[in-house]
Amino acid sequence: MKSDIILAGVGGQGILSIATILGAAALAEGLYLKQAEVHGMSQRGGDVMSCLRISSRPVASDLIPQGKADIIVSLEPMEALRYLSFLAPDGWIVTNTVPVINTAGYPDTAVLIECLEKRPRTVAFDMDAVASKVATARASNMVLLGAASRFIDIPAGKIEEGIRTVFAPKGQAIVDSNIAAFRAGLEAASSAM
């Protein structure tokens, strides 16, 4: 088993929370993992990217070579496109379609979505709307994690345990809303495919 995952988004969206949850789930499964993060100007709304490598065998490097990522998991459509050079030919893109317009000259959203939908293995939908229905818009990262979990070789139950571990200090209500968002994302991905 091997999963090379690019996690992408904008500072404050919860990309690193996804990495932490997947890391906890991988360790609970007895898997090896390496992670590298690029924060950039994340505190000011800049891009955030994390390489997460999970395997049943020891992992030598925390960086994913270009053209080798199994999946790009993105909370923002332009960030999904930014890392396309890392995606393997048979890799998947799972992305939110809601843009974070944080720079002058941000591309037209319709053009971004059209570029994504031309890719043969893309799951793209409004994750903010799904999160708002079952929890809060802030839980869109858990909707994304649920959608992406279809393509990550870790049982959904183990990922839910990771959510419980990470969010337990914030209280049961936060744990429950994040798990609800995760499950909604898993279901929405099935419909979007």
Side-chain angles (χ1 to χ4, degrees):
M1 175 275 160
K2 176 193 77 68
S3 288
D4 284 343
I5 305 164
I6 297 285
L7 301 167
V10 173
Q13 286 189 301
I15 287 298
L16 300 181
S17 294
I18 292 174
T20 303
I21 290 164
L22 285 174
L27 291 175
E29 275 290 280
L31 299 170
Y32 295 91
L33 73 115
K34 294 264 185 173
Q35 179 186 359
E37 300 167 0
V38 176
H39 297 276
M41 296 293 288
S42 62
Q43 292 181 351
R44 296 189 180 154
D47 68 316
V48 175
M49 186 270 271
S50 179
C51 292
L52 184 61
R53 306 187 82 186
I54 301 170
S55 178
S56 54
R57 300 170 72 180
V59 180
S61 172
D62 53 0
L63 298 178
I64 299 170
Q66 292 210 359
K68 299 295 184 182
D70 299 302
I71 182 171
I72 294 173
V73 178
S74 180
L75 266 165
E76 209 281 337
M78 187 171 77
E79 296 304 321
L81 291 170
R82 181 187 309 269
Y83 296 102
L84 275 182
S85 65
F86 285 90
L87 192 63
D90 61 345
W92 283 88
I93 298 169
V94 180
T95 187
N96 192 354
T97 56
V98 178
V100 175
I101 301 172
N102 57 356
T103 183
Y106 188 94
D108 180 77
T109 304
V111 172
L112 290 174
I113 302 306
E114 183 180 329
C115 288
L116 286 165
E117 290 177 345
K118 286 181 181 178
R119 305 285 308 181
R121 293 178 183 85
T122 299
V123 175
F125 60 92
D126 183 340
M127 296 182 188
D128 294 7
V130 173
S132 293
K133 286 180 187 172
V134 298
T136 71
R138 286 189 47 87
S140 62
N141 63 333
M142 292 300 104
V143 173
L144 176 67
L145 178 57
S149 70
R150 295 182 50 83
F151 310 103
I152 300 170
D153 199 16
I154 297 175
K158 290 291 184 186
I159 296 174
E160 286 188 15
E161 286 177 29
I163 292 169
R164 284 184 190 90
T165 300
V166 169
F167 290 110
K170 295 184 178 192
Q172 192 59 43
I174 299 294
V175 170
D176 292 344
S177 68
N178 280 287
I179 288 176
F182 172 81
R183 290 176 180 170
L186 185 57
E187 185 177 320
S190 298
S191 301
M193 290 180 64

Coordinates of all heavy atoms in Angstrom, one line a residue, residues 6-16 37-43 45-50 73-74 79 82-83:
I6 N -0.9 15.2 -2.3 CA -0.6 16.6 -2.2 C -1.9 17.2 -1.6 O -3.0 17.1 -2.1 CB -0.4 17.2 -3.6 CG1 0.9 16.6 -4.3 CG2 -0.3 18.7 -3.5 CD1 2.2 17.1 -3.7
L7 N -1.7 17.9 -0.5 CA -2.8 18.7 0.1 C -2.5 20.2 -0.2 O -1.4 20.7 0.1 CB -2.8 18.5 1.7 CG -3.0 17.0 2.1 CD1 -2.6 16.9 3.6 CD2 -4.4 16.5 1.8
A8 N -3.5 20.9 -0.7 CA -3.3 22.2 -1.1 C -4.5 23.1 -0.7 O -5.6 22.7 -0.7 CB -3.1 22.3 -2.6
G9 N -4.2 24.4 -0.5 CA -5.3 25.3 -0.2 C -4.7 26.7 0.2 O -3.5 27.0 -0.2
V10 N -5.4 27.5 0.9 CA -5.0 28.8 1.3 C -5.0 28.8 2.8 O -5.7 28.1 3.5 CB -6.1 29.8 0.8 CG1 -5.8 31.2 1.3 CG2 -6.0 29.8 -0.8
G11 N -4.1 29.6 3.3 CA -3.9 29.7 4.8 C -5.2 29.9 5.5 O -6.0 30.7 5.1
G12 N -5.4 29.1 6.5 CA -6.6 29.2 7.4 C -7.7 28.2 7.0 O -8.8 28.2 7.6
Q13 N -7.6 27.5 5.9 CA -8.7 26.6 5.4 C -8.7 25.3 6.1 O -9.7 24.6 6.0 CB -8.6 26.4 3.9 CG -9.0 27.6 3.1 CD -9.1 27.2 1.6 OE1 -8.1 26.8 1.0 NE2 -10.3 27.4 1.0
G14 N -7.6 24.9 6.7 CA -7.6 23.6 7.5 C -6.9 22.5 6.8 O -7.1 21.3 7.1
I15 N -6.0 22.8 5.8 CA -5.2 21.8 5.1 C -4.3 21.0 6.1 O -4.2 19.8 6.0 CB -4.4 22.4 4.0 CG1 -5.3 22.9 2.8 CG2 -3.3 21.5 3.5 CD1 -6.1 21.7 2.2
L16 N -3.7 21.7 7.0 CA -2.8 21.0 7.9 C -3.6 20.2 8.9 O -3.1 19.2 9.4 CB -1.9 22.0 8.6 CG -1.0 22.8 7.6 CD1 -0.1 23.8 8.4 CD2 -0.2 21.9 6.7
E37 N 5.7 20.3 4.8 CA 4.7 21.4 4.6 C 5.4 22.6 4.1 O 6.5 22.9 4.4 CB 4.1 21.8 6.0 CG 3.3 20.6 6.6 CD 3.0 20.9 8.1 OE1 3.4 22.0 8.6 OE2 2.4 20.0 8.7
V38 N 4.7 23.3 3.2 CA 5.1 24.6 2.8 C 4.1 25.6 3.2 O 2.9 25.6 2.7 CB 5.3 24.7 1.2 CG1 5.7 26.1 0.8 CG2 6.3 23.6 0.8
H39 N 4.4 26.5 4.1 CA 3.4 27.4 4.7 C 3.4 28.8 3.9 O 2.4 29.4 3.8 CB 3.7 27.8 6.1 CG 3.6 26.6 7.0 ND1 2.4 26.2 7.5 CD2 4.6 25.7 7.5 CE1 2.6 25.1 8.3 NE2 3.9 24.8 8.3
G40 N 4.5 29.2 3.4 CA 4.6 30.4 2.6 C 4.0 31.6 3.4 O 4.2 31.8 4.6
M41 N 3.1 32.3 2.8 CA 2.4 33.4 3.5 C 1.0 33.0 4.0 O 0.1 33.7 3.9 CB 2.3 34.6 2.5 CG 3.6 35.2 2.0 SD 4.4 36.0 3.4 CE 3.4 37.4 3.6
S42 N 1.0 31.8 4.5 CA -0.3 31.2 4.9 C -1.1 32.0 5.9 O -2.3 32.1 5.8 CB -0.1 29.8 5.5 OG 0.7 29.9 6.6
Q43 N -0.4 32.7 6.8 CA -1.2 33.5 7.7 C -1.8 34.8 7.1 O -2.7 35.4 7.7 CB -0.3 33.9 8.9 CG 0.1 32.8 9.7 CD 1.0 33.2 10.9 OE1 1.5 34.3 11.0 NE2 1.3 32.3 11.8
G45 N -3.3 34.6 4.0 CA -4.1 34.1 2.9 C -3.4 33.5 1.7 O -3.9 33.3 0.7
G46 N -2.1 33.3 1.9 CA -1.3 32.7 0.8 C -1.5 31.2 0.7 O -2.2 30.6 1.5
D47 N -0.8 30.6 -0.3 CA -1.0 29.2 -0.5 C -0.3 28.3 0.5 O 0.7 28.7 1.1 CB -0.6 28.8 -1.9 CG 0.9 28.9 -2.2 OD1 1.5 29.9 -1.8 OD2 1.4 27.9 -2.8
V48 N -0.9 27.2 0.8 CA -0.4 26.2 1.7 C -0.4 24.9 1.0 O -1.3 24.5 0.4 CB -1.2 26.1 3.0 CG1 -0.7 25.0 3.9 CG2 -1.3 27.4 3.8
M49 N 0.7 24.2 1.1 CA 0.8 22.9 0.4 C 1.6 21.9 1.4 O 2.5 22.3 2.1 CB 1.6 23.0 -0.9 CG 1.7 21.7 -1.7 SD 3.0 20.6 -1.3 CE 4.3 21.1 -2.4
S50 N 1.1 20.7 1.4 CA 1.7 19.7 2.3 C 1.8 18.4 1.4 O 0.9 18.0 0.7 CB 0.8 19.4 3.5 OG 1.4 18.4 4.3
V73 N -5.5 16.9 -3.2 CA -6.6 17.2 -2.4 C -6.6 18.7 -2.1 O -5.7 19.2 -1.5 CB -6.6 16.4 -1.0 CG1 -7.7 16.7 -0.1 CG2 -6.5 14.9 -1.3
S74 N -7.6 19.4 -2.6 CA -7.5 20.9 -2.6 C -8.8 21.6 -2.1 O -9.8 21.2 -2.6 CB -7.1 21.4 -4.0 OG -7.0 22.8 -3.9
E79 N -5.6 26.3 -6.5 CA -4.5 25.6 -5.8 C -4.4 24.1 -6.4 O -3.4 23.6 -6.4 CB -4.7 25.6 -4.3 CG -4.6 27.0 -3.7 CD -3.2 27.7 -4.1 OE1 -2.2 27.1 -4.1 OE2 -3.3 28.9 -4.3
R82 N -2.5 24.5 -9.5 CA -1.1 24.9 -9.3 C -0.2 23.7 -9.2 O 0.9 23.7 -9.6 CB -1.0 25.7 -8.0 CG 0.4 26.2 -7.7 CD 0.5 26.9 -6.3 NE -0.5 27.9 -6.1 CZ -0.3 29.2 -6.3 NH1 0.8 29.6 -6.9 NH2 -1.2 30.1 -6.0
Y83 N -0.7 22.6 -8.6 CA 0.1 21.4 -8.4 C -0.1 20.2 -9.3 O 0.3 19.1 -9.1 CB -0.1 20.9 -6.9 CG 0.4 22.0 -6.0 CD1 -0.5 22.8 -5.3 CD2 1.7 22.2 -5.8 CE1 -0.1 23.9 -4.5 CE2 2.2 23.3 -4.9 CZ 1.2 24.1 -4.3 OH 1.7 25.1 -3.5

